Amino acid sequence: MYDEKCLARIGSNIRFLRMACQVSQQDMAERIGISQTHLSNLEHNHSSVNLKLLLRIANVLECPLEVFLDTNAALDWGKEQAEKAAPEQQDPAEAYTLEEVRQLLQLLRLSKQ
């Protein structure tokens, strides 16, 4: 079930999923019709995201809305996207950048709170 804590994770989930899809912040902002600064504020939970904007983001990333609310669903979906994007010969440990690993760890810490 969802509670208010999931709302605090939406921004970090947006960032994680955007990075898993290898979409730059600038490109995402242009595609959803906002400034890069506003998207950065959303991803860092300095601004609240409305449902209309969340729908646009979901459409760009081609993901279900639930991944923004549930960190475990975001991790699973992001992992699937990273596996699709990574060449099959590539070592799975090399499929993630250092920044992506940091994001994963941050999301895992948030989900334990």
Side-chain angles (χ1 to χ4, degrees):
M1 205 67 194
Y2 301 108
D3 60 20
E4 292 176 17
K5 291 179 185 176
C6 71
L7 298 175
R9 296 185 202 114
I10 291 175
S12 57
N13 287 346
I14 290 170
R15 179 177 166 87
F16 171 74
L17 296 168
R18 177 184 57 76
M19 292 175 69
C21 292
Q22 300 178 355
V23 177
S24 72
Q25 213 175 47
Q26 184 63 41
D27 185 40
M28 172 65 79
E30 289 173 6
R31 292 169 73 181
I32 61 174
I34 63 173
S35 70
Q36 179 272 326
T37 302
H38 186 81
L39 179 57
S40 177
N41 286 332
L42 293 173
E43 290 182 351
H44 291 92
N45 295 312
H46 298 301
S47 295
S48 298
V49 63
N50 62 43
L51 185 56
K52 185 176 179 180
L53 192 53
L54 201 58
L55 288 170
R56 287 187 205 153
I57 295 168
N59 287 332
V60 168
L61 298 177
E62 298 178 358
C63 66
L65 283 174
E66 76 177 47
V67 299
F68 297 112
L69 300 173
D70 182 349
T71 301
N72 291 328
L75 290 171
D76 292 343
W77 191 87
K79 183 179 176 185
E80 288 175 21
Q81 298 311 302
E83 288 172 357
K84 287 179 187 176
E88 294 199 19
Q89 297 91 357
Q90 188 175 7
D91 182 341
E94 296 174 7
Y96 297 100
T97 66
L98 181 57
E99 183 60 32
E100 290 170 330
V101 171
R102 287 182 182 141
Q103 286 292 316
L104 282 168
L105 291 172
Q106 183 181 19
L107 286 171
L108 289 171
R109 282 189 212 115
L110 289 172
S111 68
K112 290 180 182 179
Q113 294 178 352

